[in-house]
Every structure is written in structure tokens, then in C-alpha cells.
Amino acid sequence: MILKQLMRKSVTNKQVTVAVAAAEDAETLEAVNQACEHQLARFVLYGNEAKIKSILERETEKRLETGEVTIVHTNSPQQSAQEAVHAVAINEAHIVMKGHLSTSTILKAVLHKENGLRTGNVLSHVAAFEVPGYDRPIIVTDAAMNIAPSIQEKVQIIENAVGVAKAMGITTPKVAPIAAVEVVNPAMEATTDAALLTQMNKRGQIKGCVVDGPLALDNAISHVAAEQKGIQSEVAGAADILVVPTIESGNILYKSLIYFAQAKVGAVIAGAKAPIVLTSRADSAESKLYSLALAINVATHN
């Protein structure tokens, strides 16, 4: 329901164009078709034209005639990535979406010094989950980009996630830097980083949100768990954003939510000049559709 509300929020008066790199992929094209049905955006599909047309359903073929979908033939995944990113760089499109190509290929195009989408900021993965039985979305970062972020990188990871949260309608996101325990232990870097991030937020070095940590996962999302531990915090039990210490912990949490909790998810890469939909080739069309909706909200958020 939460992610469907996000989709409804995506329908704006602004015409959003999504540049899809290596679009010759059935799940990606199904997401494109569903997005068109919901009137979320128009799409430019970069890739092998013959392969794309062979996958397109009849309904999507009709969209070629109306201009909702355009195909631009390319000869390789590298060319697809370069042209899709360039379209966003020159404001012909507003969002880059990864199709059937490797993450390294599209990121190479995104990070190109002259023709890419670099801003000088850290790029980070921001995932918004709808967990069955939970009353609000949970944002997890960073589960896919930064392996072992430094304290300064964590500041930018938080800033990226806060921007996404605000685009979702969360006015003042509550941010919980997650660790194994809720007390500072000098032998556990995740706890000392969390304490530093909390202090930086209190001093105005991290703006637009409330940061408090370290918090263990249970204390961050459950008021009962926080009360049992005697934790008094504006964030404890009410976190909107969970900042994981490393990519391993983030990846495990991300996949646990999907496979054990049957959570639905939409995710973007934030920190570039435009949002990037960088879903896995194994992700469902539904997940890619939610990721598109999230990216559109970010792209159109003032």
C-alpha cells in the first residue's frame, strides 16, 4: 500500500522522461509497460532495436505510435549506457534506468568526467521497503554501493537518504546508524561512527533530519525493545532510515526483508545529478516499477 501510494504521488503535471540503458530485457520492459499504464513517465529505450521489439507486448508496441515509448538502436551495452546517461546529462531525460547490462558498465558511464552525472558527492543505494505488518516505510542505506564507508562518506550517505525520504513525504526523517549494540564501544567502529554522526547532527553539520545512535536494529524499529532497554530517544523505535555500517550487513538486511519478510521494495542510486534506477537483473517487474516511482518522486521533488 505504501509503495502504491508512492506511485500515485508520482503522477504529476511534470513530464518525466526515463532513459533505459540496454532495454532488451523482459522484466524491464514489463516495468516500462506498467509505468506507462499508470502514466508515470515516458521512456527512451536504448539497445538492440530488433531484440527490444521482439520482447515488446502488443500494448507496448502501441505506445511506440503515441510517443510514450521511443527506441534508440545501439550496438553494445556500453553504447546504451553512454547514450542513456548523456541524455540525462543534457536534460533530454530526467532518470537513468539500468536494463540488461552490468552495474559496472552503467556506473562507468555515470561517473565519466566529461559526459557523466558526477557531482563530487558519494553515490549511495537507497531502498524504501514496505514490510508486511509494519505501519510505515523503512529506508535502508547503503546495501549495494559503498563497501566500508568512512565517517565522511556516511555523512553523505545520510544526506542522500534524507533527500529521498523528503521526496517520499517524510518531512523530518529520523535516522538510526545501526550497530550490534546500542552503547558506544571503542572496539566496535560502527558504534563510534554512530556516536560521531549523532553529535554532528546536533551541531548542525548534518541537516534536515534527526540522527541518533548507535542503535541495534530492534531498538531502532521497535518502541517495546527500546523501552525494555531503557533507551530514551526521539529516533529509537521510530526510525525512518536505517544506516548500515558495511555493505555486507546492508545486503543481508536487504535480502532478508525480501525473502524472509516478503517485503516490497523500490530503490534508487542517489548522489548523482539525477536519480538512477539500478535494480538487479533478478529483480521482479514489480520491484522495478516501484523503483521507477521512487526515482520519479526524487526527480520531481522541489
Side-chain angles (χ1 to χ4, degrees), residues 68-185:
E68 293 173 89
V69 175
T70 305
I71 299 175
V72 176
H73 179 76
T74 57
N75 296 313
S76 67
Q78 291 79 8
Q79 185 185 359
S80 292
Q82 290 165 4
E83 294 198 17
V85 167
H86 183 63
V88 176
I90 62 175
N91 297 317
E92 288 184 357
H94 308 92
I95 295 166
V96 178
M97 182 177 183
K98 173 179 174 284
H100 193 68
L101 76 171
S102 68
T103 296
S104 61
T105 298
I106 195 162
L107 286 180
K108 184 177 180 180
V110 168
L111 295 173
H112 192 278
K113 289 184 179 180
E114 296 175 1
N115 302 315
L117 302 173
R118 293 162 63 119
T119 63
N121 292 335
V122 167
L123 300 188
S124 57
H125 186 267
V126 184
F129 285 92
E130 179 182 305
V131 184
Y134 207 66
D135 62 349
R136 63 183 186 277
I138 287 291
I139 295 171
V140 175
T141 192
D142 177 342
M145 289 289 292
N146 296 280
I147 297 172
S150 66
I151 187 70
Q152 285 303 325
E153 287 170 333
K154 286 179 180 178
V155 170
Q156 292 185 37
I157 287 169
I158 289 173
E159 290 171 345
N160 289 344
V162 168
V164 172
K166 287 180 180 291
M168 294 172 61
I170 304 171
T171 306
T172 307
K174 296 179 176 67
V175 182
I178 297 300
V181 294
E182 64 281 351
V183 295
V184 177
N185 182 337

Side-chain angles (χ1 to χ4, degrees), residues 147-226:
I147 297 172
S150 66
I151 187 70
Q152 285 303 325
E153 287 170 333
K154 286 179 180 178
V155 170
Q156 292 185 37
I157 287 169
I158 289 173
E159 290 171 345
N160 289 344
V162 168
V164 172
K166 287 180 180 291
M168 294 172 61
I170 304 171
T171 306
T172 307
K174 296 179 176 67
V175 182
I178 297 300
V181 294
E182 64 281 351
V183 295
V184 177
N185 182 337
M188 302 173 72
E189 187 177 19
T191 68
T192 57
D193 278 3
L196 285 170
L197 292 166
T198 300
Q199 190 63 22
M200 291 172 78
N201 174 246
K202 289 180 179 178
R203 293 190 173 187
Q205 292 173 263
I206 304 173
K207 298 178 172 31
C209 60
V210 179
V211 181
D212 192 34
L215 289 171
L217 178 63
D218 55 346
N219 303 323
I221 62 172
S222 168
H223 284 293
V224 173

